[in-house]
Amino acid sequence: MSAPVIELQQVTKRYDDGPPAVDGITLTVRPGEAVAVLGPSGSGKSTLLNLIAGLDRPTDGSVTVDGVRVDRLGETGAARYRRARIGMVFQFFNLLDDLTVADNVMLPAQLSGMPRNAARARAAELLETLGVDRHARAYPGRLSGGERQRVAVARALINRPALLLADEPTGALDTASGEDVRQLLSELNEDGQTIVLVTHDLTLAASCATRTVSLVDGRIAQDQPAAATR
Ligand code: ADP
Ligand code: MG
């Protein structure tokens, strides 16, 4: 079997004195899986994603992603790790409003040292694939929510990440745009992209996940293959 993309061993994250936000989670994600992390508000979903992204450090346990011991990285190493191996998509897009769509998408490639022309060509190709190439020279503020999220996905993919992480990617979208983004994530996974997404959106989980992991109080309460309806 191919090496896992994510391997969490007994991962715990405590903030202050309260109960742990993530409590002894062990989880393996293999290449090509699309895992939907479900659970009530406060169950530790975002914390789990942040630990995988190296945005946060576990109090205990190990986080290995694409062969990298993420829990051992310092700040610079973690930033480099994210740029090279992770694509991230957020609820509110997090695009830079004073850069054009194309420049937003190119930015992570340029920060990784890709020559400007190569980055521009790859950005153009992604924007076309994602159906937003006609907006390449526009500023994100001119786009609809669904279009902005497509641009955010293009930016997340530009460095060909081993793992795409998404935290409530349809959370701020109207029904039609939400459907667009569901379709897009599902197509990316069908093309082999490994995805972990956190969501309250059961339609999203049902349409694009190959597996659902439900958290309760920072622990895995349920871990099952997605329904055969996909
Ligand atoms: P979810 O994304 O499932 O809603 P979170 O991972 O955001 O849950 O939060 C899990 C728990 O950890 C909650 O009790 C939350 O209050 C707490 N928590 C999250 N981030 C922090 C933080 N930076 N400082 C203190 N407590 C936090
Ligand atoms: Mg959250």
Side-chain angles (χ1 to χ4, degrees):
M1 227 191 278
S2 45
V5 178
I6 301 176
E7 191 141 39
L8 304 182
Q9 288 287 349
Q10 289 295 325
V11 172
T12 293
K13 176 66 185 182
R14 270 172 213 286
Y15 296 104
D16 312 321
D17 294 336
V22 164
D23 191 1
I25 287 189
T26 294
L27 177 72
T28 301
V29 176
R30 301 214 169 260
E33 286 195 282
V35 180
V37 180
L38 307 172
S41 181
S43 58
K45 305 183 296 295
S46 294
T47 302
L48 185 66
L49 217 63
N50 290 341
L51 291 168
I52 293 169
L55 288 165
D56 218 335
R57 281 235 187 158
T59 314
D60 253 309
S62 65
V63 177
T64 308
V65 178
D66 198 23
V68 176
R69 271 296 293 268
V70 178
D71 57 292
R72 288 184 179 156
L73 297 173
E75 230 169 274
T76 314
R80 194 179 306 126
Y81 153 75
R82 272 192 298 281
R83 272 207 305 271
R85 300 176 200 253
I86 302 288
M88 293 194 81
V89 177
F90 304 92
Q91 181 172 2
F92 295 106
F93 327 123
N94 294 21
L95 297 170
L96 298 173
D97 289 332
D98 53 356
L99 291 184
T100 65
V101 161
D103 286 340
N104 264 282
V105 176
M106 288 167 62
L107 190 59
Q110 292 192 278
L111 291 171
S112 310
M114 192 187 290
R116 191 173 172 79
N117 283 341
R120 184 169 292 287
R122 167 115 178 107
E125 180 189 307
L126 278 166
L127 288 169
E128 188 181 347
T129 306
L130 301 189
V132 280
D133 47 320
R134 69 186 178 285
H135 299 301
R137 288 159 194 266
Y139 289 87
R142 302 285 300 273
L143 276 55
S144 73
E147 289 165 344
R148 275 186 245 190
Q149 198 60 302
R150 284 178 168 262
V151 173
V153 171
R155 179 183 58 182
L157 295 176
I158 194 152
N159 287 335
R160 304 181 198 277
L163 176 63
L164 181 64
L165 296 174
D167 196 346
E168 300 284 1
T170 59
L173 301 179
D174 59 60
T175 312
S177 304
E179 187 47 44
D180 248 29
V181 167
R182 272 182 218 116
Q183 177 80 32
L184 169 58
L185 291 173
S186 178
E187 285 167 11
L188 290 171
N189 178 244
E190 276 160 23
D191 288 344
Q193 179 70 55
T194 308
I195 300 175
V196 173
L197 60 90
V198 158
T199 190
H200 281 101
D201 179 350
L202 292 176
T203 317
L204 173 62
S207 64
C208 99
T210 60
R211 175 180 175 192
T212 59
V213 170
S214 302
L215 299 188
V216 175
D217 296 337
R219 300 201 183 111
I220 295 180
Q222 202 172 56
D223 182 348
Q224 57 185 19
T229 53
R230 186 167 173 262

